Amino acid sequence: MEEGEEVKLLGAWMSPFVNRVKWVLKLKGIRYEYLEQDLVNKSPLLLTSNPVYKRVPVLIHNGKPISESLFIIEYLDDTWKNNPILPQDPYQRAKARFWANFIEEKFSQVMRKVLSLEGEKQKKEVENANEALEILEGELKGKKFFGGDQTIGLVDIVLGVLPTWIGVIEEVACVKVFDPIKYPSLAKWMEDFLELPVIKESLPDKDKLLAYVHKIRIYMLTLAATK
Amino acid sequence: MADEVILLGFWSSPFAMRVKIALAEKGVEYEYREENRFDKSPLLLEMNPVKKQIPVLIHNGKPICESTIIVQYIDEVWKNESPLLPSDPHERAQARFWSDFVDTKIYWLGRQVWLSIGEDLEAAKVELIRCFKLLERELGDKPYFGGETFGFVDVSLIPFSNWFYGYEQWGDLSMEAECPKLVDWAHRCRKKESVSQSIPDQQKIYEFLTEIRKKHSSK
């Protein structure tokens, strides 16, 4: 990092979106100041840096804010050229963006619903999650990481929500989503992913996360019941 | 070797329009193939097996899917003509942010206004107007979201100007009264050849969408 570069990350310890950005910052060796945010009583800094969505993560580089994890990651990749997260070739970049999008839409958002629902509705979302996993298993087959055999890329980073959150959601929502026998390539991928020093060093405390997610589920179920 | 570029689309899809506009901006010759949503072609199913939806750009046999991803691809491949994304990384991040805002907010809220009635419609309408005003603020006094030149956010949003008349009719609102700058911006964009040749007649879109609205609300 050059002299005079100031990088701040507004985050929250439990956010998988913030985690993604931390991983990229680490992979690129970028020094930054981390500012933990209170998501209930939001700081003026957060509200002025992300006035549209008022949420984390927000990266502030030399005073200029960038919001939304995927755009922050592309910004970091555009600005710090070492250890590229996206491929150089336009077609491969388009594929990486496609899969990142797919994971967000068809897996991450679906897992949020699994957490907030019960009964038949939850069952349907578990099926949806499995459809996505099947497709991802097919896309990964034969490779160590989605980014290639040596390094992780954008798709691995976005799918990082799987190894870090799936166990927690399954335990709290009392449901089984991921079967390693059905998805052997993804199961291996999860092991390899969690072994990477960059990832290993920055996982949230599991017990703390369990307690937090448990509270979230109760809140969401109560909300659904009062509608 | 000449490039082979094929676009699979649907005439009323704002997402397909984005790609047409981007290709026109770059002066790329391509073959357009109209898809039937209820009877998808083998080519579409082969090229987009995951989502099975248009638009799909097929460049020398290789498929690229999702409209904003396709537009970025076009910008990266035909980089010497009319750049759509800014060269500055921070401005580029902002352009991606606002384009995503169009997808996340304008499309979905507009869809709710289009297909709902009563309280649901009112709630969507209020939120839609709030989001349009945010876009207006982002536009400011610039001729385009891209600044002096037509850019990525302009490409993303302009197809939805076809829906303005619909929002007004279904939602009982006036775009001119709520967001005059945005209405001006839309007129300015529609004068560009790349836009006018890629966007069908507003009335035709309105009639098509209204037919679907009638069928939807009679369920």
Side-chain angles (χ1 to χ4, degrees):
Chain A
M1 197 166 74
E2 287 163 31
E3 279 265 349
E5 291 267 23
E6 189 200 51
V7 181
K8 293 186 185 172
L9 175 63
L10 308 186
W13 66 273
M14 82 301 282
S15 164
F17 305 102
V18 171
N19 259 358
R20 285 174 186 167
V21 176
K22 279 187 184 170
W23 294 336
V24 175
L25 287 162
K26 277 190 187 236
L27 282 165
K28 291 188 178 273
I30 300 168
R31 276 208 324 268
Y32 67 99
E33 184 190 353
Y34 177 74
L35 297 167
E36 178 74 18
Q37 299 298 299
D38 179 343
L39 299 182
V40 176
N41 300 304
K42 294 177 181 178
S43 70
L45 182 60
L46 177 57
L47 297 174
T48 48
S49 307
N50 189 357
V52 174
Y53 297 118
K54 306 177 175 57
R55 63 190 183 197
V56 294
V58 181
L59 189 89
I60 308 177
H61 183 203
N62 292 335
K64 294 200 234 179
I66 303 107
S67 311
E68 301 302 285
S69 63
L70 292 182
F71 308 139
I72 296 173
I73 291 171
E74 292 229 28
Y75 174 80
L76 291 171
D77 220 35
D78 282 342
T79 313
W80 283 270
K81 303 288 189 189
N82 63 316
N83 293 349
I85 305 299
L86 273 119
Q88 298 301 306
D89 170 69
Y91 178 67
Q92 296 302 329
R93 286 162 80 80
K95 273 179 73 176
R97 287 175 180 139
F98 173 85
W99 286 109
N101 233 320
F102 174 81
I103 292 165
E104 287 289 74
E105 214 186 298
K106 301 291 184 186
F107 184 73
S108 306
Q109 286 186 27
V110 169
M111 287 309 295
R112 215 165 296 150
K113 290 184 191 169
V114 168
L115 181 63
S116 65
L117 296 167
E118 42 188 2
E120 280 308 306
K121 286 188 178 164
Q122 187 195 55
K123 208 169 157 207
K124 181 79 187 74
E125 297 304 333
V126 171
E127 276 170 27
N128 289 340
N130 269 280
E131 272 173 35
L133 287 169
E134 214 175 297
I135 292 172
L136 288 165
E137 175 78 11
E139 179 57 22
L140 178 61
K141 224 171 216 98
K143 300 198 292 272
K144 186 176 183 191
F145 296 117
F146 288 91
D149 281 324
Q150 307 300 326
T151 44
I152 55 170
L154 180 69
V155 182
D156 303 279
I157 287 169
V158 173
L159 193 57
V161 69
L162 173 62
T164 53
W165 275 70
I166 193 89
V168 173
I169 293 182
E170 284 180 333
E171 196 173 321
V172 169
C174 308
V175 68
K176 188 83 190 131
V177 179
F178 184 85
D179 181 352
I181 297 174
K182 271 170 92 178
Y183 313 116
S185 301
L186 282 173
K188 181 77 180 53
W189 173 86
M190 291 214 295
E191 264 175 44
D192 291 332
F193 186 80
L194 288 171
E195 275 305 302
L196 294 165
V198 159
I199 309 300
K200 236 165 141 174
E201 289 161 10
S202 51
L203 294 173
D205 178 86
K206 187 160 184 222
D207 291 326
K208 202 175 165 194
L209 193 60
L210 265 170
Y212 174 80
V213 176
H214 190 72
K215 271 203 301 211
I216 294 282
R217 176 159 166 83
I218 293 176
Y219 171 73
M220 282 169 148
L221 288 176
T222 316
L223 208 65
T226 55
K227 274 192 182 151
Chain B
M1 192 185 77
D3 273 319
E4 188 202 50
V5 183
I6 301 172
L7 171 61
L8 308 182
F10 184 70
W11 73 273
S12 69
S13 160
F15 305 103
M17 282 174 220
R18 287 172 172 173
V19 181
K20 286 184 186 173
I21 295 168
L23 288 166
E25 280 287 304
K26 304 281 184 178
V28 176
E29 271 177 33
Y30 67 99
E31 181 195 339
Y32 175 76
R33 294 193 196 170
E34 180 76 7
E35 282 286 331
N36 180 342
R37 282 169 318 153
F38 305 108
D39 184 16
K40 294 173 183 182
S41 73
L43 184 63
L44 174 57
L45 299 175
E46 184 199 337
M47 291 289 148
N48 191 358
V50 175
K51 295 275 204 82
K52 304 179 176 58
Q53 57 190 207
I54 58 97
V56 179
L57 189 80
I58 309 172
H59 184 201
N60 296 331
K62 295 201 261 190
I64 302 100
C65 311
E66 302 297 303
S67 63
T68 50
I69 293 175
I70 299 172
V71 173
Q72 286 182 86
Y73 173 82
I74 291 169
D75 204 38
E76 287 170 20
V77 171
W78 288 278
K79 53 181 174 238
N80 297 322
E81 271 310 314
S82 309
L84 295 171
L85 273 141
S87 50
D88 171 70
H90 185 257
E91 283 175 29
R92 205 154 47 230
Q94 292 301 99
R96 289 182 175 127
F97 176 91
W98 286 106
S99 173
D100 178 71
F101 181 82
V102 173
D103 281 346
T104 309
K105 297 288 187 181
I106 303 299
Y107 169 64
W108 284 106
L109 291 166
R111 195 170 184 277
Q112 265 181 269
V113 168
W114 168 37
L115 294 176
S116 34
I117 51 172
E119 269 174 33
D120 290 340
L121 169 58
E122 269 313 299
K125 164 188 158 180
V126 165
E127 189 55 15
L128 180 65
I129 292 173
R130 191 187 72 86
C131 289
F132 271 132
K133 286 186 198 279
L134 278 173
L135 278 164
E136 242 193 355
R137 228 172 52 197
E138 174 59 21
L139 178 65
D141 292 318
K142 307 194 295 286
Y144 301 106
F145 285 93
E148 290 304 309
T149 49
F150 188 73
F152 189 61
V153 181
D154 304 280
V155 173
S156 297
L157 182 60
I158 194 62
F160 290 96
S161 67
N162 273 343
W163 293 43
F164 285 5
Y165 183 64
Y167 301 146
E168 289 179 329
Q169 298 303 304
W170 310 315
D172 187 25
L173 60 98
S174 160
M175 286 298 290
E176 180 68 51
E178 301 286 357
C179 332
K181 275 189 177 163
L182 218 52
V183 172
D184 276 343
W185 162 85
H187 284 316
R188 191 176 304 122
C189 290
R190 293 175 84 100
K191 285 201 198 119
K192 286 175 68 63
E193 205 182 316
S194 61
V195 176
S196 61
Q197 74 189 37
S198 309
I199 289 193
D201 181 56
Q202 233 188 130
Q203 186 63 24
K204 198 177 169 199
I205 293 272
Y206 171 68
E207 282 165 15
F208 173 74
L209 294 175
T210 301
E211 262 312 299
I212 299 176
R213 176 178 162 84
K214 279 194 202 136
K215 285 189 198 147
H216 202 264
S217 54
S218 66
K219 278 189 194 153

